[in-house]
Each structure stands twice: as C-alpha cells, then as structure tokens.
Amino acid sequence: MQFEPVIGLEVHAQLKTETKIFCNCATSFGAPPNTHTCPVCLGMPGVLPVLNKKVVDYAMRMALATHCKIGHENRFARKNYFYPDLPKGYQISQYELPLAEHGYVDIEVDNQKQRIGLTRIHLEEDAGKLLHDPNLPISKVDLNRTGTPLIEIVSEPDLRTPAQAGAYLRQLRTIVRYLGICDGNLEEGSFRCDANISIRPQGSEKLGTRTELKNLNSFKNVEKALRYEIMRQQEIVADGGVVIQESRLWNDARNRTASMRGKEEAHDYRYFPDPDLLPIVIDDPWIEKTTKALPELPDEKKARFIKDYHLPDYDASFLTTERASADYFESCIKRFPKPKLISNWIMGDLAALLNAQGKTISQSPVSSDNLADLLRLIEDDVISGKIAKTVFEQIALTGETPQSVVEAKNLTQVTDVSAIEEIVLKVIGDHPKEVETYRNGKKKLRGFFVGQVMKATRGKANPKMVNKILSEKLESE
Ligand code: ADP
Ligand code: MG
Ligand code: ZN
C-alpha cells in the first residue's frame, strides 16, 4: 500500500521586545541566572500581570503579514500543568479566542507553488530554563526567560513532504525577520518548531494518528526527523501495528526519534480564561494603522524585483530571502543600474566570500558602493572581468575603493590599439607553425592566441579588442 505523509507545524517565535510580556523585566539574553526576574514573572502570590502593548503590535504584524483575521476581542487563558520551569503552575496563553486565525503562507518547492493554511496565531509567555548538572544529582532553574513573549503559529495539516515543511519554516522565518519581530534563530532557540506527522493510505481523506516531534533545533533536523518518522510509521503499519499518539524527541546523535511521553489532550490542561487579564480589544483603526506600517513583504519584494529589474525567478528569490540582501542589491542599483550583473556578483563572488568568512551581508567587507564601482570599472572597460576578481579580493581584504586598487597596482586595461597590435604581431611572429595550422582551418587555435596575448599583458589587454585585432591579423596574410 502507498502512504501519504501529513504534516502540520507548531512554531514558537520569541518576540524581540525589550521587556517581558507581563512585567518590566528585560528580555535580553545572557545575563547571570535569575537576575532578570521580579515578583510577577516569579509567580509570587498576589501580583498582577500588566500586558506589554508592543507584544500585541508585533503579533498583529505577523498576523497581518500572513493574511490572518484578527480577533477583535481576544483573551488570555491559563494552561495548567506542573513543571519546575513554570513557577506559577500555569502558563498564560490563549485558547478559545486567539489573537488571529485563518491565514496562509505561500511556499514553493521544485517550482511548485503551494498555499499552506494557518489555523491560528496566539500569544503566550515562555517558561524558564532547567540546567541539568551532569556531575551531580541536581538540576537548577534559571527564570530569566520566564515571561518572554512568544507567538505560536499553528499550521493546518497541509504539508505533505519534509521538503515542504522545511520551505514553510524558512518562509515563516523570512517573514518574522522582515517584520523585525524575531531573530528567527532555530539553533539559539528564538524560533522553535514542533512537527506533527501522521501517514494515511494514498487517496484517503481521513487523518491518521499523529506523533509530535520535538527538539528540532535546525532546519536540517526538522527534515531529517520527519523523514525518519515517516519511515518508522510506515514500518509499523506495514507490520500490522498501529501508531500511538505521543510526543517523540529527535535524537540527533542517534539519528532517530524516541518516545518521550504520551500526548496530552487539551482537557489535561484545564484551560480557563485568565481572570487577572482583561480581554485584548483590537479595533479597526488599530488594524489599519498596523497594516499601513507593514514593510514590503518578501513575496511582494520578489515580484517587484522580477517586474522592475527583469531578474530571473531564482535571482529574485535569492536576493529577497533576507531584507538585508535586497537592500544591498538596491543600493548597488542606485549607483550602477545593471541588475543582472549586480545579482550575478552578489550570488557568486560576494556570497562565496561571506560564506567563507561566516558573515552576513550586513557585515560584508565589500560595501555596496564598492561593489557597484567595481562593476562600473568593468563596464567602462577600465579593467577586464578577470582582473576584477583580483580587485574584488583586494577590496574585501582592505576596504579600499576599487578605483584606488586599480591605480595603485596599475591594473588598468590596455585599450590602446597600437599597443595591442604590437603584441598581437609579436605573438603571430613567434608562432609561425600555429599560424599556419590556424589558417589551414583549425580555428580552435584562436583561444591559444588570445591566451598568449593576455599572458604578455598580464591579463590587462581588453579582451574585445584583442579578439578584433587578432581576427584582422590572422585572417589577412
Ligand atoms: P496540540 O496543542 O494538541 O499539539 P495544536 O492544535 O496546537 O494541537 O497543533 C496541532 C498541529 O498538528 C497543527 O499544526 C495541525 O495541523 C497538526 N495536526 C493535527 N492533526 C494532525 C494529523 N493527524 N497529522 C498530522 N498533523 C496533524
Ligand atoms: Mg501542540
Ligand atoms: Zn519580571
């Protein structure tokens, strides 16, 4: 029997507000344990939470960017469970009335576009962090993270392959980064993903029993864990067994998932509306104001790059995945309006350089002005494309302008006709045998002559002129 995988993701994004969701404690990372805490986030009796308005603003940005409907009156609920990293004994979250519902995100895998539904986006607070001492039979708790604002983005079970799940997750990350509301860092945990997966017979409409995969702290692991789990579930069913609903932990070292605990049901959490917090009332003017303030979003930017700059789809995707790359590209364009040339250099030499140095484009050692000026030098025939690579390496190293490197190293192209002619004639004179073979029809030898001229000029002769003069001199007796 053929099986079809069905996947739905729950993504938690840590919002980049300066203070926590219900108190004034800082959200900044890396402080000594338990120094960013107060009676509210420590869950002391008698304290009252006060909602941080910026959290709502940030979450609304995400909701609007993903085409969700905002709940005009949404509510906080208490999700009750016991765990040592949760001092109150309940997490403030949203349940029946979330901030937003019914949105979507478009993805593309193997040139196939697909729309993934979003069930809901809701607000909640993060828990603390347990630190397990490997040498002692104790664990410690750091409550600095307690009360950090999160949004949870729940997808419909619309994904069918691990690659689609990866593409969806990348698209969400691109959006939160464009909006400036979250770092989107899976490795550091500011962007976390639980993957729900089941299988069903091909053609069936009914959902199978799902497992929930946790501990997926990289894009690679999300896809690896899903691939493993599809295989595991198929084997169970093929052997006549049934999949049990449970949470499973991805073990990267062993390349497999392992059972963690039975899956809780909503009633296990005894959800109820939080009596300490008023409903969040969001009126139309607030929604309009937030909509107007949204930046150009990745899909829109990509479409504009294709339309205005006539870039291929691939280039437009590459350049718009990060807002910083798009900005870099457009700042080059202002100085040197040749989109495809710029895009080639950003995707080629610049990307290779950044990759080698482990830097983002915002930290690029070659400024957009310098890249634009370098391309202008090629365009104006001051240097050849080949010499440009040398100049690029140099400006990356020192931050000098391309103009000054070309001058200091005397790299200006030889474009003087008589100078090139002289060299061409010398090359022809030095290689009578090759000239004869060429004239007898072995036209492939042209490359050899070009190479000789370039060698004689240390790569500085203008290639177009070399070709033209070579033609003249070789074809005529
Ligand atoms: P819970 O809190 O119980 O995990 P949620 O509604 O928060 O439930 O999340 C459920 C997630 O699991 C959603 O992304 C949904 O699309 C996905 N899902 C639900 N049922 C299935 C299923 N049978 N197979 C795969 N994914 C599923
Ligand atoms: Mg869940
Ligand atoms: Zn606090």
Side-chain angles (χ1 to χ4, degrees):
M1 201 189 319
Q2 284 284 12
F3 291 105
E4 173 184 60
V6 174
I7 302 165
L9 301 188
E10 294 165 82
V11 173
H12 286 92
Q14 221 173 62
L15 300 178
K16 284 204 298 192
T17 53
E18 282 178 20
T19 54
K20 295 185 179 179
I21 183 167
F22 300 120
C23 62
N24 274 332
C25 293
T27 52
S28 51
F29 187 77
N34 300 306
T35 54
H36 291 173
T37 53
C38 74
V40 172
C41 55
L42 290 175
M44 297 295 179
V47 296
L48 285 174
V50 177
L51 177 60
N52 179 346
K53 188 175 176 198
K54 197 146 205 184
V55 169
V56 183
D57 267 319
Y58 279 14
M60 279 171 69
R61 281 191 211 173
M62 187 59 182
L64 293 168
T66 51
H67 318 277
C68 288
K69 301 220 168 35
I70 305 258
H72 286 283
E73 201 173 308
N74 59 92
R75 256 195 176 285
F76 285 107
R78 291 187 182 179
K79 181 178 182 178
N80 300 278
Y81 64 94
F82 173 76
Y83 206 64
D85 63 5
L86 188 71
K88 294 194 299 298
Y90 61 86
Q91 178 194 29
I92 303 179
S93 179
Q94 294 192 296
Y95 185 57
E96 279 163 332
L97 296 169
L99 179 99
E101 291 178 284
H102 309 305
Y104 64 84
V105 164
D106 290 327
I107 61 163
E108 196 175 321
V109 175
D110 298 333
N111 292 320
Q112 194 115 343
K113 287 196 168 53
Q114 213 196 329
R115 181 156 289 183
I116 308 303
L118 296 193
T119 316
R120 56 193 269 144
I121 297 181
H122 69 245
L123 297 168
E124 60 186 32
E125 57 177 352
D126 210 346
K129 215 182 200 147
L130 292 179
L131 307 156
H132 306 286
D133 193 319
N135 303 311
L136 292 168
I138 59 165
S139 291
K140 299 172 183 172
V141 64
D142 175 7
L143 297 176
N144 283 348
R145 205 180 62 182
T146 314
T148 297
L150 303 176
I151 48 174
E152 177 169 342
I153 306 155
V154 183
S155 86
E156 289 290 303
D158 287 349
L159 300 154
R160 293 291 171 270
T161 64
Q164 285 178 5
Y168 165 78
L169 201 55
R170 284 191 179 84
Q171 185 65 11
L172 279 191
R173 181 180 63 166
T174 295
I175 297 171
V176 295
R177 287 192 176 169
Y178 261 67
L179 297 172
I181 61 170
C182 168
D183 292 336
N185 196 322
L186 258 85
E187 284 80 3
E188 289 172 11
S190 63
F191 192 71
R192 311 195 276 266
C193 168
D194 295 342
N196 294 271
I197 164 126
S198 60
I199 55 168
R200 63 184 174 192
Q202 196 73 253
S204 160
E205 291 286 306
K206 213 174 126 242
L207 291 174
T209 304
R210 67 175 152 138
T211 56
E212 181 188 50
L213 310 182
K214 294 179 169 289
N215 195 33
L216 309 173
N217 51 9
S218 72
F219 284 97
K220 212 178 66 209
N221 284 350
V222 171
E223 295 189 35
K224 271 194 343 202
L226 284 169
R227 281 199 299 272
Y228 173 84
E229 189 62 15
I230 291 169
M231 214 183 58
R232 190 190 69 90
Q233 292 187 10
Q234 282 181 353
E235 277 173 14
I236 290 175
V237 176
D239 285 351
V242 287
V243 174
I244 6 176
Q245 179 159 335
E246 61 182 354
S247 296
R248 299 181 65 87
L249 268 190
W250 171 247
N251 184 329
D252 197 33
R254 300 184 60 193
N255 249 306
R256 49 168 299 171
T257 64
S259 179
M260 178 176 135
R261 55 163 189 248
K263 175 87 188 98
E264 311 81 354
E265 301 287 343
H267 64 249
D268 295 331
Y269 290 120
R270 293 170 291 121
Y271 279 101
F272 64 89
D274 193 309
D276 287 346
L277 285 154
L278 290 168
I280 307 173
V281 178
I282 301 174
D283 58 9
D284 286 331
W286 191 1
I287 295 176
E288 270 161 42
K289 197 176 136 217
T290 313
T291 309
K292 280 215 190 87
L294 287 181
E296 184 180 33
L297 293 165
D299 286 347
E300 298 163 4
K301 207 185 270 291
K302 181 182 163 189
R304 180 169 64 82
F305 275 25
I306 292 173
K307 184 167 165 282
D308 289 1
Y309 301 128
H310 306 287
L311 287 176
D313 197 281
Y314 180 86
D315 298 44
S317 282
F318 186 100
L319 294 171
T320 55
T321 298
E322 295 288 344
R323 200 165 150 183
S325 312
D327 289 348
Y328 186 100
F329 169 80
E330 289 205 289
S331 118
C332 287
I333 284 283
K334 283 210 191 88
R335 231 172 142 94
F336 179 67
K338 299 251 170 170
K340 184 57 184 154
L341 271 181
I342 295 175
S343 143
N344 286 347
W345 274 77
I346 292 180
M347 298 193 302
D349 295 74
L350 184 65
L353 174 78
L354 296 176
N355 199 24
Q357 299 191 354
K359 287 185 172 154
T360 67
I361 199 158
S362 325
Q363 307 159 321
S364 171
V366 177
S367 70
S368 57
D369 282 358
N370 278 350
L371 181 63
D373 288 352
L374 178 65
L375 302 192
R376 164 84 62 199
L377 292 175
I378 308 174
E379 185 72 9
D380 290 350
D381 280 335
V382 177
I383 55 173
S384 67
K386 196 161 170 244
I387 292 289
K389 308 252 174 200
T390 317
V391 177
F392 181 81
E393 279 168 24
Q394 184 68 18
I395 60 178
L397 219 58
T398 62
E400 291 167 89
T401 65
Q403 292 88 338
S404 63
V405 171
V406 167
E407 272 163 37
K409 301 209 159 185
N410 188 24
L411 296 172
T412 308
Q413 244 183 150
V414 180
T415 50
D416 176 347
V417 180
S418 56
I420 296 178
E421 246 175 22
E422 198 178 304
I423 297 160
V424 167
L425 288 174
K426 179 161 187 312
V427 167
I428 287 179
D430 287 349
H431 299 90
K433 261 216 220 107
E434 285 82 357
V435 172
E436 202 189 319
T437 323
Y438 179 89
R439 287 182 176 151
N440 285 337
K442 197 166 176 212
K443 301 293 177 200
K444 271 199 202 142
L445 268 177
R446 160 179 287 274
F448 165 79
F449 292 110
V450 174
Q452 291 299 314
V453 176
M454 284 304 185
K455 202 170 147 195
T457 58
R458 291 190 297 125
K460 291 193 297 182
N462 177 308
K464 267 180 256 159
M465 294 174 69
V466 171
N467 267 300
K468 182 160 168 283
I469 295 169
L470 261 175
S471 294
E472 287 166 14
K473 304 296 172 196
L474 282 171
E475 303 303 336
S476 68
E477 285 304 305

